[in-house]
């Protein structure tokens, strides 16, 4: 499995028109709502704005093309996860509120499937659930803890199941599997097809998407782009990890890179070994997160953390490719599935996701300033961005629903530390996670390093 011949664009982009194909903004315009960023957050917000008020004049300005950001690059896990886990949500807001938020996330997974079917968006949606396998006794104890916590929030077998060795290996034929947890509320999707299908759907509803139109600055009421000004009653910032590049927002959210690889299509007999017959997405309980999915056309898309944080929250195209991290992903993939050694890695890529300082996502509408935003999903943004976009649209149109009182509404984040503390802290956290994995693998015991790392706060529940 050699990475040197792999294409360096996302696997998902092969199936869609992944270039600028829409017009730029040319000159100044007035609209009711302008959305910055054509990813899941911006597009779902536009979709629901037009559902709630078809007369609204909505424009989206995108610096590159639809799906250029994380929405066109991710692992395609459409799952129900709060970045810090259910326990933290309950500690922050109380048990009942935490359960309400959790149920809204469950519904969001189903809504993505329901609405894409209704709109004729073929995004390979398959609700096979999420499988977390345990490959050591220590990991099995993490699985039991996770299951016990879920039960304490009233979840039952229709939501989550603790798997014994037979059940787990039947779902995933990876090496050393001794058990695991299966979560029902998760679907595998093709992110490229979803984001492009959604863009076409909002255009059918009358939304204009301007591509190749970078926003240089914004205030409530006005957005300045390279090609003209957009005046509106409400700006919606839907730029997730990229928000750090806007003036005055460098410490607002950290862009953290997640990297992926994809294999060539694998033959049926290999899939007979590996399993994932319902296209369950999968991970295990290591500290430095890995995630995979069996794609609808029989490839294995596999990703993980470990790419460094870049000084000053910078984002560059070159950061998408990292030989060390991509090679490590291949090593881990072969450790899980040695039978893949004869198959080619056809694609490798990466991209930035957004991490707020307190790891708590937010959906915020400031009517007095005319600015809204949603994000900070910490790598759990596929179905969460749907819920966020829907909630933004409800808040902007003044529509009261059960979502508009969820605890993340109008949550404000503390700022990240200035450099060099940010660089030191984040990269130390990543190094600790890696070192904790090595130590846990060696000793079979929980490593304190995992607790020290900033990134480990939601260890057993994190999917990035
Ligand atoms: C490799 C990877 C794997 C991931 N895997 C998963 C997963 O399996 N499951 C999951 O739930 N989450 C996953 N995530 C996270 C998830 O993809 C994101 O949380 C989600 O897509 C965020 O959507 P968004 O629309 O808010 O942001 P984005 O999709 O990042 O969209 C932001 C858009 O804003 C545009 N933009 C930025 N700056 C400007 C500007 N100045 N002017 C105009 N436009 C601008 C960008 O070009 C981009 O198109 C992953 C992320 C990555 C990078």
């Amino acid at each position: 499995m050699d990475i040197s011949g792999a294409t360096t664009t996302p696997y998902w982009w092969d199936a869609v028109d992944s270039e600028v194909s829409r017009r730029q903004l040319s000159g100044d315009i007035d609209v009711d709502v302008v959305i910055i960023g054509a990813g899941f957050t911006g597009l779902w917000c536009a979709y629901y704005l037009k559902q709630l008020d078809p007369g609204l004049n909505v424009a989206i300005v995108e610096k590159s093309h639809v799906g250029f950001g994380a929405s066109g690059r991710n692992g395609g896990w459409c799952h129900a996860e709060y970045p810090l886990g259910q326990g933290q949500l309950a500690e922050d807001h109380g048990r009942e509120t935490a359960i309400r938020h959790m149920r809204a996330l469950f519904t969001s997974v189903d809504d993505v499937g329901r609405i894409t079917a209704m709109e004729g968006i073929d995004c390979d949606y398959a609700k096979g659930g999420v499988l977390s396998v345990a490959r050591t006794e220590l990991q099995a104890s993490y699985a039991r803890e996770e299951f016990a916590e879920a039960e304490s929030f009233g979840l039952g077998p229709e939501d989550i199941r603790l798997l014994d060795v037979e059940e787990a290996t039947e779902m995933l034929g990876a090496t050393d599997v001794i058990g695991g947890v299966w979560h029902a509320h998760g679907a595998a999707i093709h992110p490229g097809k979803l984001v492009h299908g959604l863009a076409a759907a909002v255009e059918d509803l009358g939304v204009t998407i301007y591509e190749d139109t970078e926003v240089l600055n914004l205030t409530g009421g006005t957005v300045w782009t390279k090609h003209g000004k957009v005046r509106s009653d409400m700006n919606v910032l839907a730029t997730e990890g990229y928000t750090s590049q806007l003036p005055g927002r460098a410490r607002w959210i950290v862009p953290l890179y997640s990297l992926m690889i994809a294999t060539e299509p694998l033959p049926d007999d290999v899939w007979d070994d590996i399993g994932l017959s319902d296209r369950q997405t999968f991970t295990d309980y290591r500290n430095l997160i890995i995630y995979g999915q069996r794609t609808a056309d029989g490839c294995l898309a596999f990703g993980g953390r470990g790419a460094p944080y870049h000084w000053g929250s910078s984002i560059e195209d070159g950061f998408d490719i990292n030989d060390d991290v991509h090679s490590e992903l291949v090593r881990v993939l072969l450790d899980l599935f040695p039978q893949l050694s004869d198959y080619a890695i056809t694609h490798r890529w990466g991209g930035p996701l957004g991490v707020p300082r307190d790891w708590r996502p937010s959906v915020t509408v400031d009517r007095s300033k005319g600015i809204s935003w949603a994000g900070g999903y910490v790598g759990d943004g596929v179905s969460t961005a749907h819920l966020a976009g829907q909630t933004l649209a409800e808040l902007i149109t003044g529509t009261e629903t059960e979502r508009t009182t969820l605890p993340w509404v109008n949550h404000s984040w503390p700022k990240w530390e200035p450099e060099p503390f940010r660089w030191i802290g984040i990269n130390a956290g990543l190094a600790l996670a890696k070192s904790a994995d090595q130590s846990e693998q060696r000793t079979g015991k929980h490593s304190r390093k995992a607790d020290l790392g900033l990134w480990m706060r939601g260890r057993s529940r994190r999917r990035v």
Side-chain angles (χ1 to χ4, degrees):
M1 276 198 148
D2 184 13
I3 52 168
S4 58
T7 308
T8 54
T9 49
Y11 160 77
W12 316 114
W13 291 12
D14 286 2
V16 293
D17 189 4
S18 60
E19 292 183 345
V20 172
S21 58
R22 295 170 172 84
R23 68 191 153 116
Q24 297 173 335
L25 180 68
S26 58
D28 299 349
I29 57 167
D30 289 293
V31 294
D32 297 318
V33 181
V34 59
I35 296 170
I36 305 161
F40 292 143
T41 303
L43 292 166
W44 281 120
C45 176
Y47 179 83
Y48 282 105
L49 281 170
K50 292 299 273 186
Q51 298 295 327
L52 290 167
D53 186 348
L56 274 183
N57 188 358
V58 180
I60 300 180
V61 282
E62 162 58 49
K63 77 166 176 168
S64 184
H65 56 77
V66 163
F68 173 79
S71 301
R73 300 166 185 247
N74 60 74
W77 284 45
C78 178
H79 67 312
E81 183 109 17
Y82 181 75
L84 287 178
Q86 197 58 23
Q88 186 65 53
L89 199 54
E91 210 174 303
D92 292 349
H93 302 284
R95 188 172 182 276
E96 293 315 311
T97 304
I99 290 173
R100 213 157 58 79
H101 195 90
M102 177 180 69
R103 293 276 166 206
L105 286 169
F106 292 173
T107 304
S108 185
V109 173
D110 291 336
D111 281 350
V112 171
R114 185 177 56 78
I115 293 165
T116 51
M118 192 176 82
E119 295 291 346
I121 300 171
D122 175 10
C123 64
D124 301 339
Y125 181 97
K127 196 179 172 203
V130 176
L131 174 65
S132 305
V133 290
R135 297 174 70 233
T136 61
E137 283 303 331
L138 180 66
Q139 291 195 359
S141 73
Y142 296 151
R144 286 192 295 275
E145 276 169 27
E146 182 177 2
F147 180 72
E149 183 181 70
E151 277 196 314
S152 77
F153 282 102
L155 299 190
E158 64 287 4
D159 303 302
I160 188 165
R161 288 191 350 238
L162 188 63
L163 307 178
D164 63 22
V165 58
E166 281 81 25
E167 292 166 315
T169 43
E170 194 183 323
M171 279 195 201
L172 187 73
T175 53
D176 302 328
V177 171
I178 57 169
V181 165
W182 177 77
H183 308 251
H185 303 282
I189 56 117
H190 185 302
K193 291 185 186 177
L194 176 56
V195 75
H196 283 271
L198 204 49
V202 301
E203 286 176 319
D204 284 350
L205 292 169
V207 174
T208 307
I209 303 176
Y210 298 97
E211 292 187 330
D212 195 16
T213 301
E214 181 171 4
V215 169
L216 304 174
N217 207 348
L218 68 150
T219 57
T222 311
V223 162
W224 285 267
T225 81
K226 279 185 170 170
H227 311 294
K229 266 196 317 249
V230 188
R231 281 177 301 262
S232 71
D233 298 331
M234 184 61 79
N235 302 334
V236 180
L237 201 49
T239 44
E240 189 60 339
Y242 300 88
T243 313
S244 54
Q245 313 300 295
L246 286 165
R249 288 183 164 83
R251 291 171 55 196
W252 212 51
I253 195 160
V254 149
L256 188 70
Y257 276 74
S258 198
L259 266 52
M260 295 198 68
I261 53 177
T263 67
E264 64 181 309
L266 303 172
D268 290 347
D269 60 321
V270 172
W271 281 118
D272 288 345
D273 279 355
I274 294 179
L276 302 177
S277 53
D278 295 327
R279 296 192 50 227
Q280 301 92 330
T281 55
F282 69 93
T283 184
D284 66 11
Y285 288 89
R286 72 188 72 209
N287 295 293
L288 211 50
I289 292 303
I290 55 160
Y291 48 91
Q293 78 145 286
R294 174 179 181 167
T295 68
D297 51 1
C299 303
L300 206 161
F302 187 69
R305 280 217 301 263
Y309 160 77
H310 300 281
W311 179 272
S313 294
S314 51
I315 294 177
E316 288 177 20
D317 288 348
F319 298 162
D320 297 351
I321 301 301
N322 181 312
D323 286 348
D324 290 345
V325 178
H326 280 124
S327 299
E328 177 61 10
L329 285 174
V330 171
R331 192 196 66 72
V332 174
L333 188 65
L334 287 177
D335 180 44
L336 290 161
F337 311 109
Q339 64 270 49
L340 295 186
S341 60
D342 293 336
Y343 295 94
I345 298 293
T346 55
H347 295 72
R348 59 177 178 138
W349 72 97
L353 46 90
V355 186
R357 182 64 187 89
D358 64 1
W359 285 54
R360 290 158 174 82
S362 172
V363 175
T364 294
V365 173
D366 187 335
R367 283 190 176 284
S368 63
K369 294 199 179 117
I371 297 187
S372 316
W373 63 88
Y377 313 122
V378 199
D380 296 315
V382 172
S383 99
T384 315
H386 164 268
L387 179 62
Q390 183 179 22
T391 310
L392 272 175
E394 289 165 348
L395 290 163
I396 291 168
T397 55
T399 313
E400 286 177 23
T401 68
E402 68 273 21
R403 287 170 292 275
T404 54
T405 57
L406 287 174
W408 64 349
V409 169
N410 294 334
H411 169 68
S412 62
W413 302 316
K415 280 185 180 167
W416 278 91
E417 290 77 2
E419 300 292 20
F421 305 106
R422 194 156 80 237
W423 187 88
I424 294 168
I426 296 170
N427 285 320
L430 290 168
L432 280 166
K434 190 172 179 183
S435 173
D437 279 330
Q438 287 160 351
S439 154
E440 291 187 354
Q441 183 71 33
R442 211 174 43 248
T443 64
K445 295 202 176 104
H446 175 68
S447 167
R448 298 288 309 278
K449 288 179 193 159
D451 306 325
L452 289 174
L454 170 74
W455 304 103
M456 294 304 97
R457 281 189 289 184
R459 172 183 31 78
S460 64
R461 321 198 123 259
R462 304 235 9 63
R463 320 262 185 242
V464 177

